[in-house]
Amino acid sequence: MKNIMTIIKKEFARFFGDYRLALSTLLLPGLMIFGIYWLIGEGMQNLTTEDPEVVYDVAVYNMPEEVREGMMEILALIEEHPELFPGLSFPNMNFHSVDNRTVALERLEYGYYDLLAVFPAEFTADPGRIDEFRYPNFPQKVMLHFDATVQDSDLAFRSFSSLMSAYHGTILPQDVLFFTDFYNIADDAAMAGMALSMMLPMLILIFLFQSCMGLTPESIAGEKERGTIATMLVTPIKRSEFAIGKVASLSVISLLAGISSFIGIILAMPMMLGDEIGMGDAAAAYTVMDYVWLLTLVLTTVILIVALMSLVSAFAKSVKEATGILTPVMMVGMVAAFVPMFAGNMTGIYWYMIPFVNTTLALTDIFAFDYSVANVAVVNAMNLVLAAVFIFVLTKLFNSEKVMFRK
Amino acid sequence: MSNVILKVENITKTYAISKKQQKIEKAKLSQQAGRASKTAPTVITANDNVSFTANKGEIFGLLGPNGAGKTTTLRIMSTLIKADSGDVFIDGFSVKNESTKVRGRIGFLTSELKMEEFFTPNYLFDFFSNLYGLDPTKQAAYKKEIFEKFGIDKFAEVKVANMSQGMKQKTSLVISLVHDPDVVIFDEPTNGLDVVTAKVVTDFLRDLRERGKCIIVSTHIFSLVEQLCDRVGIIIAGQMVMCDTLAEITKERTMEEVFFDLYKKTVGEVD
């Protein structure tokens, strides 16, 4: 028993005596997990909550005036007496009466309208005529056209459907006078692109972090710990050459490891999501330039991650300490992987300057067929500039006897 | 024309000590003074104004007990660490300001510098030759010659991880001298070696001397100094307490007698 306590005390002294190790093991993971879950929660809410500032433009075809007035009355009632409609709220919607369905549909495609609601000719909401739409006849169908790959259009569709239901419920609580059906104008490739843009940036970043994490601490902190790094530092090689050589080689290997994982995910994705996602459509729809930009983003991000991890590894006394410090660093980086959840609100150029967030944003844009070359170039430039700064500091660390020979 | 190739000029090197150690030092001072000491030293002095020179074609021995500051001196000479003050000149180049040029002119061997265990002597020789920017054709011929000399040719493709201590030391020696440097700095050259390997190493050092190289060895082994060194610097408690030719230092006495006399004068009786 005494010996067991002796061993326990020694282990505790080793662990709690090393403040950095204790901090990175005990405090940071909890903080990171809280941060990640908070972000996920915020993100999910962002996806399903209408922005009160936004006004959705809804084109209406054949919509009778009394229906419009009835719906407006419901909106006004909800606004005046929200306590009567717990949990029910609607965004601001402008109804635009249109005469030409084809033109309205084209405008929907271009984003001029968020939704097109097509009512049947001579649509009636008169409850007295309910018998005309009872079996064997059909209830009237209101067709809603929207683009599921556009967040505003998707939210406008959901809001308008709910409003129609609320309206129908106030005039005819039981019988069905009319119902809404929908048509998603987004093609298969765009839909698949949207699905990819939601998942792949996150997966790519996670795999890149993982592959870098598996290599960098071992290559830098490991060499330091084993004393092999000093053997090279007594040769005439410049510290900057040494730092660049390390970062370049680790980047290539990490990239290969990341690509291997990525291919596995791509192959498994149809099995995960089912065939209807249209992966083939999306893959074929991307141009060569899309793939080139994608590759540059992945490459510059790997260089940035490796440079950052090399810096931490050079600072650490051992592989164990490097891994301990890098785990929360990696978690911070991975938080950025959840950025697509916020993508709708992150359009300013400054978002493309925040490390890792910018990579995920740019990847999301490319997968969703909605990117600007300028933004991607900004991300690549930011990644390389930051990596250069890290390499510069790494060079200084290789020159520092306190860092390199600290025990 | 001066034969001096290495000049160590007044180097001083201190290391910060931990808070806990500072308390111990403070307690020690209080005990010695017989009253509570208000201040505690915050640094420990590894080298205190150390100076010496070494010439081409000689083996210079740095003799001292563990913790005397020998390794610190060698590390400063080899550019791995920087002195707080003073400088070292190798072939006229300052370790402070021209460290890259210095590194190209020295070979540094110490047990702290390890070889990557995954690699073989063959690979490591080529790798370090490339780092020094040496001609591959010339290096191939040199590799053959020196591998044969040390018997490394018999285990040229064995990974370092699978080598004996002697094999590692031979490989380490050869690797650190791939560029045939003019100054060879060797920390505890025979430590951990069996008598056969130790003889191979000491013979090689003599060989280097014959070829006009300057060899600096640090050691705490008196017999090694007596067998090998032309000149000796004795370091005790960070200070160079004596530096002269072996003959001048020992005269009629043994190295051990001289050393303990100096130790007694500098530090006090051995506990």
Side-chain angles (χ1 to χ4, degrees):
Chain A
M1 189 66 191
K2 196 182 162 197
N3 286 344
I4 294 173
M5 285 310 292
T6 308
I7 298 293
I8 291 172
K9 276 182 192 168
K10 178 252 169 190
E11 287 303 315
F12 280 0
R14 169 69 189 88
F15 181 81
F16 291 107
D18 190 336
Y19 302 120
R20 285 191 299 187
L21 185 63
L23 190 76
S24 60
T25 311
L26 299 180
L27 191 62
L28 286 177
L31 281 175
M32 288 304 112
I33 286 171
F34 172 78
I36 288 173
Y37 276 87
W38 176 78
L39 273 168
I40 291 172
E42 285 286 303
M44 292 305 285
Q45 209 162 359
N46 262 19
L47 265 184
T48 53
T49 309
E50 297 87 2
D51 185 346
E53 300 292 315
V54 173
V55 178
Y56 296 119
D57 291 300
V58 179
V60 289
Y61 180 75
N62 281 342
M63 186 193 211
E65 195 53 35
E66 81 254 24
V67 175
R68 178 199 295 257
E69 285 169 4
M71 289 170 78
M72 288 301 170
E73 275 172 29
I74 290 170
L75 288 175
L77 195 64
I78 291 171
E79 202 173 336
E80 275 176 39
H81 301 286
E83 70 280 4
L84 298 175
F85 306 90
L88 195 61
S89 68
F90 287 99
N92 296 315
M93 282 185 273
N94 275 346
F95 294 145
H96 305 273
S97 295
V98 294
D99 301 326
N100 190 325
R101 281 176 62 172
T102 317
V103 172
L105 207 54
E106 274 175 17
R107 288 184 170 184
L108 174 67
E109 282 172 16
Y110 286 111
Y112 185 78
Y113 296 132
D114 296 309
L115 179 74
L116 168 64
V118 177
F119 289 74
E122 298 172 11
F123 176 84
T124 178
D126 181 1
R129 291 174 61 187
I130 185 72
D131 288 340
E132 291 176 35
F133 305 104
R134 282 207 174 111
Y135 185 80
N137 298 323
F138 294 102
Q140 303 166 101
K141 182 168 83 174
V142 180
M143 195 68 182
L144 304 180
H145 299 259
F146 75 110
D147 187 342
T149 62
V150 178
Q151 195 181 355
D152 281 354
S153 184
D154 192 45
L155 286 170
F157 159 68
R158 284 196 248 165
S159 299
F160 194 84
S161 301
S162 303
L163 189 57
M164 286 291 286
S165 300
Y167 173 66
H168 192 282
T170 56
I171 55 170
L172 274 174
Q174 300 293 329
D175 289 310
V176 179
L177 181 63
F178 60 86
F179 71 100
T180 53
D181 197 358
F182 65 88
Y183 181 74
N184 176 12
I185 63 167
D187 59 22
D188 287 348
M191 286 301 289
M194 189 185 70
L196 293 178
S197 74
M198 294 294 287
M199 295 185 63
L200 286 191
M202 178 181 74
L203 292 172
I204 288 174
L205 216 61
I206 288 172
F207 284 126
L208 292 184
F209 264 107
Q210 272 182 344
S211 53
C212 295
M213 185 75 173
L215 293 162
T216 314
E218 169 57 28
S219 174
I220 307 237
E223 284 228 37
K224 214 174 125 176
E225 198 176 356
R226 294 190 298 271
T228 52
I229 211 163
T231 314
M232 283 180 272
L233 294 180
V234 290
T235 69
I237 186 170
K238 286 181 185 165
R239 302 320 194 225
S240 53
E241 291 171 338
F242 186 67
I244 292 169
K246 277 276 181 194
V247 171
S249 56
L250 288 168
S251 296
V252 171
I253 302 169
S254 301
L255 190 65
L256 293 176
I259 286 172
S260 165
S261 309
F262 185 67
I263 289 171
I265 276 290
I266 291 289
L267 294 176
M269 198 165 272
M271 286 178 263
M272 277 161 52
L273 300 176
D275 288 339
E276 65 272 20
I277 189 174
M279 289 281 295
D281 292 333
Y286 296 119
T287 65
V288 173
M289 278 318 289
D290 294 342
Y291 285 110
V292 168
W293 284 119
L294 197 67
L295 191 66
T296 61
L297 276 174
V298 170
L299 189 62
T300 59
T301 307
V302 167
I303 293 170
L304 176 62
I305 297 172
V306 168
L308 171 66
M309 289 190 171
S310 298
L311 196 63
V312 174
S313 300
F315 183 72
K317 285 180 277 190
S318 61
V319 176
K320 190 179 166 189
E321 186 182 303
T323 314
I325 302 171
L326 279 173
T327 303
V329 170
M330 187 171 83
M331 289 169 84
V332 170
M334 283 186 179
V335 167
F338 294 97
V339 157
M341 293 180 177
F342 302 88
N345 303 324
M346 298 169 92
T347 48
I349 189 73
Y350 48 89
W351 290 111
Y352 292 83
M353 293 182 178
I354 302 172
F356 305 124
V357 170
N358 56 5
T359 298
T360 323
L361 267 177
L363 289 172
T364 305
D365 292 348
I366 291 177
F367 284 124
F369 303 98
D370 182 25
Y371 70 98
S372 89
V373 170
N375 283 354
V376 177
V378 165
V379 177
N380 281 332
M382 282 305 296
N383 284 347
L384 291 176
V385 167
L386 209 56
V389 171
F390 288 154
I391 291 171
F392 177 76
V393 181
L394 183 63
T395 305
K396 295 281 170 199
L397 289 189
F398 285 144
N399 253 328
S400 163
E401 64 181 74
K402 276 187 187 157
V403 172
M404 294 317 289
F405 299 106
R406 181 176 48 199
K407 296 288 180 191
Chain B
M1 197 177 133
S2 169
N3 220 18
V4 173
I5 191 166
L6 182 143
K7 203 189 289 180
V8 177
E9 284 186 353
N10 309 106
I11 55 167
T12 296
K13 177 73 181 173
T14 55
Y15 292 105
I17 50 180
S18 69
K19 297 270 181 203
K20 281 183 182 173
Q21 189 59 35
Q22 283 178 32
K23 279 183 189 168
I24 294 170
E25 297 292 330
K26 195 175 171 180
K28 256 195 231 168
L29 286 175
S30 301
Q31 202 179 12
Q32 283 167 4
R35 59 184 166 81
S37 173
K38 286 181 183 172
T39 53
T42 53
V43 292
I44 193 163
T45 305
N47 279 162
D48 186 4
N49 218 22
V50 170
S51 297
F52 66 93
T53 57
N55 302 310
K56 291 174 188 167
E58 80 172 9
I59 299 178
F60 183 96
L62 267 179
L63 179 70
N66 291 338
K70 304 186 298 290
T71 302
T72 300
T73 310
L74 299 194
R75 280 176 160 197
I76 293 169
M77 285 160 56
S78 61
T79 78
L80 278 178
I81 62 174
K82 291 182 178 73
D84 299 346
S85 61
D87 203 349
V88 177
F89 296 89
I90 288 173
D91 210 4
F93 295 107
S94 154
V95 296
K96 255 187 183 170
N97 307 318
E98 296 155 299
S99 54
T100 307
K101 284 180 180 162
V102 168
R103 284 183 212 122
R105 285 163 172 79
I106 60 164
F108 183 38
L109 284 100
T110 164
S111 57
E112 285 176 309
L113 302 186
K114 305 272 169 52
M115 295 172 291
E116 193 74 72
E117 299 222 317
F118 178 80
F119 296 116
T120 63
N122 216 358
Y123 177 88
L124 286 168
F125 188 94
D126 294 343
F127 171 73
F128 281 95
S129 295
N130 286 337
L131 277 188
Y132 282 98
L134 303 169
D135 176 39
T137 320
K138 280 184 187 168
Q139 283 307 104
Y142 180 50
K143 180 165 72 176
K144 191 172 181 298
E145 178 197 324
I146 199 148
F147 272 27
E148 277 173 12
K149 185 183 181 82
F150 281 93
I152 297 174
D153 52 337
K154 295 181 187 73
F155 55 91
E157 288 301 337
V158 174
K159 285 183 179 177
V160 173
N162 300 325
M163 288 182 187
S164 69
Q165 189 59 28
M167 289 155 98
K168 280 182 189 170
Q169 183 72 325
K170 284 178 185 173
T171 308
S172 193
L173 182 74
V174 167
I175 296 307
S176 58
L177 304 179
V178 284
H179 54 308
D180 194 21
D182 290 332
V183 177
V184 178
I185 303 165
F186 211 153
D187 191 11
E188 307 285 4
T190 54
N191 251 20
L193 298 183
D194 64 69
V195 285
V196 178
T197 316
K199 188 171 185 324
V200 171
V201 171
T202 49
D203 284 351
F204 182 64
L205 293 181
R206 287 190 185 99
D207 218 35
L208 288 173
R209 174 172 58 191
E210 295 306 310
R211 289 172 50 211
K213 308 288 182 186
C214 170
I215 301 112
I216 313 292
V217 293
S218 88
T219 183
H220 57 271
I221 304 169
F222 302 120
S223 58
L224 186 73
V225 172
E226 287 167 335
Q227 285 168 25
L228 204 61
C229 297
D230 304 298
R231 294 198 311 126
V232 186
I234 300 175
I235 292 191
I236 298 173
Q239 294 175 328
M240 181 68 87
V241 292
M242 186 174 273
C243 183
D244 213 326
T245 60
L246 182 68
E248 275 302 309
I249 285 179
T250 52
K251 293 184 176 149
E252 301 298 311
R253 302 197 300 164
T254 64
M255 193 72 237
E256 188 173 346
E257 287 167 343
V258 173
F259 176 82
F260 282 112
D261 268 0
L262 287 169
Y263 189 87
K264 197 174 161 184
K265 281 179 198 163
T266 317
V267 182
E269 290 288 350
V270 179
D271 291 333

